[in-house]
Amino acid sequence: MIHTVDGRLFNVSLSAGKGKLFFFHSWSNVVEHLRLTKGCLVVFNPVDSTMFKLTSFVDGVSRGSFWTYLLPPSSHFYVIPECILPKVYDYSSNDVISTVIIDNKMFKVAIETSDGKVGFTVGIDMIVSLLQLKAGCILLFTKGFGNFFHLKIFGKNGVEMNFPDVDVDEVS
């Protein structure tokens, strides 16, 4: 069963072949319902042994979440889509600090404006270094209250990475 964010349920079949898993039998109904196209990101969260909760990201955004690739170390600016940010706040002052939470660990990250776009900057490098992330990982940010963001990280293989053994020092 596939459970979509809008509450729809789809009964699809799952098959294995050549070391990979494939959806078929009504999968096309899911693709049509969500208007998925090549390049969309689809996240499958197992609910139990027969059901997945599916979240799809069209143009990088799904409701209060967005995703981006981890860029090479030379770039530490990750754009936050306008539809994710509150309309009432002015991000042009370049002194906004956000809290990014990964596996219940908190990191302070600056939110700055560059070339008319708002994004994460200082502090992302600490996350990348501490968690030993490699270029090409997928960063999935979900907006919380205020300037809080929850971050899930997926490896190049598409599997969510967990960091239970990483200790984070409190930052004032």
Side-chain angles (χ1 to χ4, degrees):
M1 294 295 293
I2 300 288
H3 181 237
T4 60
V5 173
D6 64 1
R8 293 279 307 268
L9 289 174
F10 294 89
N11 188 10
V12 300
S13 296
L14 185 64
S15 178
K18 297 183 181 181
K20 296 184 178 186
L21 295 174
F22 299 92
F23 286 113
F24 67 100
H25 181 74
S26 297
W27 173 248
S28 60
N29 294 337
V30 175
V31 171
E32 184 179 309
H33 171 71
L34 296 174
R35 296 182 178 102
L36 300 177
T37 59
K38 184 177 180 177
C40 291
L41 176 69
V42 179
V43 177
F44 297 89
N45 288 309
V47 175
D48 59 35
S49 62
T50 62
M51 183 177 290
F52 292 96
K53 184 172 182 183
L54 184 144
T55 305
S56 60
F57 294 80
V58 179
D59 295 328
V61 178
S62 178
R63 298 188 179 189
S65 299
F66 68 98
W67 70 276
T68 187
Y69 284 107
L70 180 64
L71 301 172
S74 61
S75 176
H76 292 295
F77 185 81
Y78 293 89
V79 174
I80 304 170
E82 285 184 31
C83 60
I84 300 292
L85 297 169
K87 305 282 186 245
V88 296
Y89 194 84
D90 179 16
Y91 288 94
S92 62
S93 65
N94 284 342
D95 63 355
V96 179
I97 299 297
S98 172
T99 301
V100 174
I101 301 171
I102 305 169
D103 290 341
N104 293 322
K105 296 166 183 71
M106 290 197 257
F107 297 87
K108 299 296 182 187
V109 178
I111 296 179
E112 297 181 10
T113 302
S114 177
D115 295 328
K117 301 214 181 267
V118 177
F120 295 115
T121 59
V122 177
I124 287 289
D125 54 341
M126 176 61 73
I127 293 171
V128 170
S129 175
L130 187 63
L131 303 181
Q132 300 177 11
L133 302 178
K134 305 287 184 221
C137 291
I138 296 174
L139 306 177
L140 177 73
F141 293 93
T142 301
K143 179 91 168 72
F145 182 76
N147 287 318
F148 278 80
F149 289 85
H150 294 273
L151 174 59
K152 290 185 180 187
I153 302 168
F154 297 84
K156 291 180 184 180
N157 61 0
V159 175
E160 183 178 355
M161 299 168 70
N162 294 305
F163 307 95
D165 298 331
V166 173
D167 290 324
V168 178
D169 293 332
E170 281 294 315
V171 179
S172 58

